[in-house]
PDB file of all heavy atoms in Angstrom:
ATOM      1  N   GLY A  99      20.859 -11.403  -1.231  1.00  0.00           N
ATOM      2  CA  GLY A  99      20.102 -12.524  -1.778  1.00  0.00           C
ATOM      3  C   GLY A  99      19.323 -12.185  -3.027  1.00  0.00           C
ATOM      4  O   GLY A  99      18.772 -13.082  -3.671  1.00  0.00           O
ATOM      5  N   LEU A 100      19.261 -10.894  -3.391  1.00  0.00           N
ATOM      6  CA  LEU A 100      18.488 -10.503  -4.561  1.00  0.00           C
ATOM      7  C   LEU A 100      19.054 -11.113  -5.838  1.00  0.00           C
ATOM      8  O   LEU A 100      18.302 -11.591  -6.691  1.00  0.00           O
ATOM      9  CB  LEU A 100      18.440  -8.976  -4.666  1.00  0.00           C
ATOM     10  CG  LEU A 100      17.625  -8.418  -5.835  1.00  0.00           C
ATOM     11  CD1 LEU A 100      16.173  -8.852  -5.734  1.00  0.00           C
ATOM     12  CD2 LEU A 100      17.718  -6.902  -5.885  1.00  0.00           C
ATOM     13  N   ALA A 101      20.385 -11.103  -5.983  1.00  0.00           N
ATOM     14  CA  ALA A 101      20.995 -11.685  -7.191  1.00  0.00           C
ATOM     15  C   ALA A 101      20.657 -13.166  -7.301  1.00  0.00           C
ATOM     16  O   ALA A 101      20.376 -13.674  -8.398  1.00  0.00           O
ATOM     17  CB  ALA A 101      22.502 -11.476  -7.158  1.00  0.00           C
ATOM     18  N   LEU A 102      20.668 -13.881  -6.173  1.00  0.00           N
ATOM     19  CA  LEU A 102      20.322 -15.299  -6.190  1.00  0.00           C
ATOM     20  C   LEU A 102      18.853 -15.496  -6.557  1.00  0.00           C
ATOM     21  O   LEU A 102      18.512 -16.368  -7.364  1.00  0.00           O
ATOM     22  CB  LEU A 102      20.610 -15.910  -4.813  1.00  0.00           C
ATOM     23  CG  LEU A 102      20.252 -17.387  -4.635  1.00  0.00           C
ATOM     24  CD1 LEU A 102      21.076 -18.258  -5.576  1.00  0.00           C
ATOM     25  CD2 LEU A 102      20.464 -17.813  -3.189  1.00  0.00           C
ATOM     26  N   LEU A 103      17.990 -14.663  -5.988  1.00  0.00           N
ATOM     27  CA  LEU A 103      16.557 -14.777  -6.269  1.00  0.00           C
ATOM     28  C   LEU A 103      16.270 -14.566  -7.752  1.00  0.00           C
ATOM     29  O   LEU A 103      15.498 -15.314  -8.363  1.00  0.00           O
ATOM     30  CB  LEU A 103      15.785 -13.762  -5.424  1.00  0.00           C
ATOM     31  CG  LEU A 103      14.265 -13.734  -5.604  1.00  0.00           C
ATOM     32  CD1 LEU A 103      13.646 -15.056  -5.201  1.00  0.00           C
ATOM     33  CD2 LEU A 103      13.650 -12.602  -4.798  1.00  0.00           C
ATOM     34  N   LEU A 104      16.907 -13.551  -8.340  1.00  0.00           N
ATOM     35  CA  LEU A 104      16.645 -13.253  -9.755  1.00  0.00           C
ATOM     36  C   LEU A 104      17.330 -14.238 -10.692  1.00  0.00           C
ATOM     37  O   LEU A 104      17.055 -14.238 -11.890  1.00  0.00           O
ATOM     38  CB  LEU A 104      17.104 -11.827 -10.067  1.00  0.00           C
ATOM     39  CG  LEU A 104      16.327 -10.710  -9.364  1.00  0.00           C
ATOM     40  CD1 LEU A 104      16.857  -9.344  -9.766  1.00  0.00           C
ATOM     41  CD2 LEU A 104      14.832 -10.799  -9.669  1.00  0.00           C
ATOM     42  N   SER A 105      18.241 -15.063 -10.169  1.00  0.00           N
ATOM     43  CA  SER A 105      18.897 -16.065 -11.014  1.00  0.00           C
ATOM     44  C   SER A 105      18.119 -17.374 -11.083  1.00  0.00           C
ATOM     45  O   SER A 105      18.450 -18.253 -11.883  1.00  0.00           O
ATOM     46  CB  SER A 105      20.311 -16.344 -10.497  1.00  0.00           C
ATOM     47  OG  SER A 105      20.264 -17.027  -9.251  1.00  0.00           O
ATOM     48  N   PHE A 106      17.086 -17.523 -10.241  1.00  0.00           N
ATOM     49  CA  PHE A 106      16.279 -18.739 -10.269  1.00  0.00           C
ATOM     50  C   PHE A 106      15.487 -18.809 -11.580  1.00  0.00           C
ATOM     51  O   PHE A 106      15.163 -17.774 -12.173  1.00  0.00           O
ATOM     52  CB  PHE A 106      15.312 -18.772  -9.088  1.00  0.00           C
ATOM     53  CG  PHE A 106      15.979 -19.012  -7.763  1.00  0.00           C
ATOM     54  CD1 PHE A 106      15.369 -18.602  -6.589  1.00  0.00           C
ATOM     55  CD2 PHE A 106      17.196 -19.649  -7.673  1.00  0.00           C
ATOM     56  CE1 PHE A 106      15.961 -18.817  -5.356  1.00  0.00           C
ATOM     57  CE2 PHE A 106      17.813 -19.872  -6.449  1.00  0.00           C
ATOM     58  CZ  PHE A 106      17.196 -19.454  -5.289  1.00  0.00           C
ATOM     59  N   PRO A 107      15.144 -20.022 -12.039  1.00  0.00           N
ATOM     60  CA  PRO A 107      14.347 -20.156 -13.272  1.00  0.00           C
ATOM     61  C   PRO A 107      12.874 -19.821 -13.035  1.00  0.00           C
ATOM     62  O   PRO A 107      11.983 -20.651 -13.182  1.00  0.00           O
ATOM     63  CB  PRO A 107      14.542 -21.631 -13.635  1.00  0.00           C
ATOM     64  CG  PRO A 107      14.782 -22.306 -12.329  1.00  0.00           C
ATOM     65  CD  PRO A 107      15.556 -21.325 -11.487  1.00  0.00           C
ATOM     66  N   VAL A 108      12.663 -18.589 -12.614  1.00  0.00           N
ATOM     67  CA  VAL A 108      11.317 -18.092 -12.301  1.00  0.00           C
ATOM     68  C   VAL A 108      11.126 -16.775 -13.047  1.00  0.00           C
ATOM     69  O   VAL A 108      12.040 -15.942 -13.074  1.00  0.00           O
ATOM     70  CB  VAL A 108      11.172 -17.857 -10.779  1.00  0.00           C
ATOM     71  CG1 VAL A 108       9.843 -17.186 -10.458  1.00  0.00           C
ATOM     72  CG2 VAL A 108      11.292 -19.166 -10.030  1.00  0.00           C
ATOM     73  N   PRO A 109       9.989 -16.571 -13.696  1.00  0.00           N
ATOM     74  CA  PRO A 109       9.762 -15.279 -14.356  1.00  0.00           C
ATOM     75  C   PRO A 109       9.908 -14.119 -13.371  1.00  0.00           C
ATOM     76  O   PRO A 109       9.376 -14.176 -12.259  1.00  0.00           O
ATOM     77  CB  PRO A 109       8.317 -15.387 -14.876  1.00  0.00           C
ATOM     78  CG  PRO A 109       8.050 -16.852 -14.964  1.00  0.00           C
ATOM     79  CD  PRO A 109       8.846 -17.485 -13.864  1.00  0.00           C
ATOM     80  N   ARG A 110      10.628 -13.095 -13.770  1.00  0.00           N
ATOM     81  CA  ARG A 110      10.832 -11.966 -12.858  1.00  0.00           C
ATOM     82  C   ARG A 110       9.530 -11.232 -12.566  1.00  0.00           C
ATOM     83  O   ARG A 110       9.404 -10.592 -11.527  1.00  0.00           O
ATOM     84  CB  ARG A 110      11.884 -11.018 -13.442  1.00  0.00           C
ATOM     85  CG  ARG A 110      13.261 -11.653 -13.486  1.00  0.00           C
ATOM     86  CD  ARG A 110      14.335 -10.703 -13.932  1.00  0.00           C
ATOM     87  NE  ARG A 110      15.646 -11.338 -13.862  1.00  0.00           N
ATOM     88  CZ  ARG A 110      16.789 -10.739 -14.164  1.00  0.00           C
ATOM     89  NH1 ARG A 110      16.775  -9.470 -14.555  1.00  0.00           N
ATOM     90  NH2 ARG A 110      17.938 -11.377 -14.069  1.00  0.00           N
ATOM     91  N   SER A 111       8.579 -11.339 -13.473  1.00  0.00           N
ATOM     92  CA  SER A 111       7.269 -10.740 -13.192  1.00  0.00           C
ATOM     93  C   SER A 111       6.619 -11.420 -11.994  1.00  0.00           C
ATOM     94  O   SER A 111       5.936 -10.771 -11.195  1.00  0.00           O
ATOM     95  CB  SER A 111       6.367 -10.855 -14.420  1.00  0.00           C
ATOM     96  OG  SER A 111       6.206 -12.215 -14.808  1.00  0.00           O
ATOM     97  N   SER A 112       6.847 -12.752 -11.848  1.00  0.00           N
ATOM     98  CA  SER A 112       6.301 -13.461 -10.689  1.00  0.00           C
ATOM     99  C   SER A 112       6.948 -12.972  -9.401  1.00  0.00           C
ATOM    100  O   SER A 112       6.287 -12.877  -8.355  1.00  0.00           O
ATOM    101  CB  SER A 112       6.526 -14.969 -10.836  1.00  0.00           C
ATOM    102  OG  SER A 112       5.837 -15.473 -11.958  1.00  0.00           O
ATOM    103  N   VAL A 113       8.249 -12.667  -9.455  1.00  0.00           N
ATOM    104  CA  VAL A 113       8.940 -12.134  -8.280  1.00  0.00           C
ATOM    105  C   VAL A 113       8.323 -10.801  -7.877  1.00  0.00           C
ATOM    106  O   VAL A 113       8.049 -10.546  -6.700  1.00  0.00           O
ATOM    107  CB  VAL A 113      10.448 -11.976  -8.563  1.00  0.00           C
ATOM    108  CG1 VAL A 113      11.145 -11.309  -7.378  1.00  0.00           C
ATOM    109  CG2 VAL A 113      11.082 -13.325  -8.851  1.00  0.00           C
ATOM    110  N   LEU A 114       8.064  -9.932  -8.860  1.00  0.00           N
ATOM    111  CA  LEU A 114       7.469  -8.621  -8.561  1.00  0.00           C
ATOM    112  C   LEU A 114       6.060  -8.769  -8.004  1.00  0.00           C
ATOM    113  O   LEU A 114       5.680  -8.069  -7.059  1.00  0.00           O
ATOM    114  CB  LEU A 114       7.444  -7.753  -9.821  1.00  0.00           C
ATOM    115  CG  LEU A 114       8.708  -6.980 -10.163  1.00  0.00           C
ATOM    116  CD1 LEU A 114       8.493  -6.167 -11.430  1.00  0.00           C
ATOM    117  CD2 LEU A 114       9.128  -6.075  -9.021  1.00  0.00           C
ATOM    118  N   VAL A 115       5.271  -9.671  -8.595  1.00  0.00           N
ATOM    119  CA  VAL A 115       3.906  -9.878  -8.107  1.00  0.00           C
ATOM    120  C   VAL A 115       3.928 -10.328  -6.653  1.00  0.00           C
ATOM    121  O   VAL A 115       3.184  -9.814  -5.808  1.00  0.00           O
ATOM    122  CB  VAL A 115       3.172 -10.908  -8.991  1.00  0.00           C
ATOM    123  CG1 VAL A 115       1.876 -11.354  -8.326  1.00  0.00           C
ATOM    124  CG2 VAL A 115       2.868 -10.317 -10.353  1.00  0.00           C
ATOM    125  N   ALA A 116       4.807 -11.294  -6.337  1.00  0.00           N
ATOM    126  CA  ALA A 116       4.881 -11.796  -4.969  1.00  0.00           C
ATOM    127  C   ALA A 116       5.327 -10.704  -4.003  1.00  0.00           C
ATOM    128  O   ALA A 116       4.764 -10.553  -2.914  1.00  0.00           O
ATOM    129  CB  ALA A 116       5.843 -12.988  -4.910  1.00  0.00           C
TER     130      ALA A 116
END
Side-chain angles (χ1 to χ4, degrees):
L100 182 61
L102 178 63
L103 179 62
L104 294 181
S105 69
F106 289 156
V108 173
R110 293 185 176 182
S111 58
S112 297
V113 175
L114 276 181
V115 168

